[in-house]
Amino acid sequence: MLEQLLIFTRGGLILWTCKELGNALRGSPIDTLIRSCLLEERSGAASYNYDAPGASYTLKWTFHNELSLVFVAVYQRILHLLYVDDLLSMIKQEFSAIYDPKRTSYDDFDDIFQQLKKEAEARAEEMKKSKQLGKPVNNNLGRKQGQVQNGSVDGGSKKKSGGESGNDGGDGDKSRGRPLENGNLRNNHVGKGEVPAMVNANGKENGASKTGAFDVNKLQKLRSKAAKKTETVVNKVPKGEPNKKITKKNRVWDDSPKESKLDFTDPVSENGEQNISVVAADEGESMMDKEEIISSDSESEEEETGKDSNVDSKKKGWFSSMFQSIAGKANLQKSDLEPALKALKDGLMTKNVAEEIAEKLCESVAASLEGKRLASFTRISSTVQAAMEEALVRILTPRRSIDILRDVHAAKEQGKPYVVVFVGVNGVGKSTNLAKVAYWLLQHNVNVMMAACDTFRSGAVEQLRTHARRLQIPIFEKGYEKDPAIVAKEAIQEASRNGSDVVLVDTAGRMQDNEPLMRALSKLIYVNSPDLVLFVGEALVGNDAVDQLSKFNQKLGDLSPSPDPRLIDGILLTKFDTIDDKVGAALSMVYISGAPVMFVGCGQSYTDLKKLNVKSIVKTLLK
């Protein structure tokens, strides 16, 4: 049976709850759904699983986008209620008919709900009986016919279970089933009353074979057009002046060349110690304290409007498109949104956004726009782009304070050092960016100490020691082949004794599938309880960003002995100066982990560390 059913506005006002159900839910499934799914642009999913002590719930929902209403049903996961989707759609239809924005109480809706619930349950029972009656009929068919039918249905069912939710379009390859965060396949149910499309033995639907047909006439037309274009280009080339003969210049020999410095290493004294100079005063102000100026986006808007108008003019006639833009469209359907969403998805993937993330974002935007009325003088493409821009800003904007300086001062008032642990895969620049963070903290008069807890990689301690000497800050080290958790614990104790405000803990790089090293990292975090766990990741990665972050969080949770394990708190994105406009890794990392990007490394010097500019990233992603 249902545990609870709610109707509330997008602003958070609860309009109606079923008093007859009145079951006290364990935990807070509705709040978690809003925080982890609806606000995180995961509303395109089919359902959400919530685990609480002593209970496991499944939540399903639907939207009325024109009225900004949300309908949520909660039931025990073990029950597998078949009528919930049908019930939600009927409640949506009936409630929207009596909804008044000035009204806040709908006590009279209880009777309507009971009637709708009985209808949905009866319909589910009829569907169940009809399926049971239909089974023996299929078994009595001839052997040859049965073989063909079984092969076709099996091929179709695999596609359906892999990702479709009863779509009639036959685009099973387009939306492959992927596990969501809650472990369920997306849209792994077939709509009630729908008949699966007939498919052939190869698993393809009827009528789909024409899409890949080869048209010889079209090829000849394209060739003729290309030939005409080349002729016009050749004719338009102006006759240039005749090439002048280039005379060879006399070579000038320099008898006394200047001696160039080839050895840039620091001088070494007789006892073997390097004389490293202090560079903190020469490097200048860190980019963290500088405001980034964004250029005006008028040019990009003009380009986008030009592209959109060309697309619309090709698809429709001038009069029909002009009439629709003036009169407005009644209600946006999913078929209206698909061309614009596909273009957006392809654009995001070219900017290095993981394919899975781009697909989920487009599904969420479609769920938020479906059923809305298109305003006059507005194109669908611009409406979809505005919705996507709003979603991207909401995802990339931190939902909590990321002011580390304030947290450092708060820890200092409590008489303890602020501990930051840097984790990540091999070769992403953890030690270098740790030194950049140390330099930035030094500029704000914060006492910093480094802890060399990378006892695995050869040369890691020496690398950190070099940074510590250059920045003139203390370093705690115990050499190699030591337990990094114990080294970090002793470093924190030493920082408490000598009055250091911040301890920056360097750890060994490890791949997300290396269980022994991941177990050692989980132990380090569990033993020392750092204030901040920073994941250092490259801006160059695409789909691998999802795998790295999700598996890091999974391993930290699974291998920790604590019932409430610490996961990744923030992200430091490195090598940001090498990617041009391929900024999609930032979006993929934030979306999959929910952790904000706190620092961005953009160069080789200590000052090359800055904050993430959300507006600039969103503008680049949608350009």
Side-chain angles (χ1 to χ4, degrees), residues 24-66:
L25 299 175
R26 295 177 182 268
S28 53
I30 305 295
D31 294 341
T32 307
L33 172 71
I34 295 171
R35 186 171 57 251
S36 302
C37 195
L38 303 186
L39 292 180
E40 291 285 335
E41 295 303 323
R42 294 184 175 92
S43 55
S47 61
Y48 179 79
N49 288 344
Y50 176 81
D51 293 316
S56 296
Y57 298 117
T58 295
L59 291 86
K60 292 196 172 184
W61 63 91
T62 186
F63 301 113
H64 196 299
N65 291 312
E66 192 173 356

Side-chain angles (χ1 to χ4, degrees), residues 431 452-467 475 480 506-509:
S431 303
C453 295
D454 185 355
T455 61
F456 185 77
R457 176 174 65 89
S458 299
V461 177
E462 288 78 10
Q463 180 185 2
L464 208 63
R465 191 188 300 154
T466 302
H467 285 304
I475 180 173
Y480 296 97
D506 185 31
T507 62

Side-chain angles (χ1 to χ4, degrees), residues 347-363:
L348 289 173
M349 289 172 61
T350 58
K351 297 294 169 61
N352 230 11
V353 178
E355 181 184 3
E356 181 183 356
I357 306 299
E359 192 171 338
K360 289 180 182 176
L361 275 171
C362 290
E363 288 174 0

Side-chain angles (χ1 to χ4, degrees), residues 512-513 546-556:
Q512 59 269 25
D513 297 318
V546 177
D547 189 56
Q548 288 178 11
L549 260 170
S550 58
K551 286 189 176 178
F552 254 82
N553 266 335
Q554 181 185 353
K555 294 289 185 183
L556 289 178

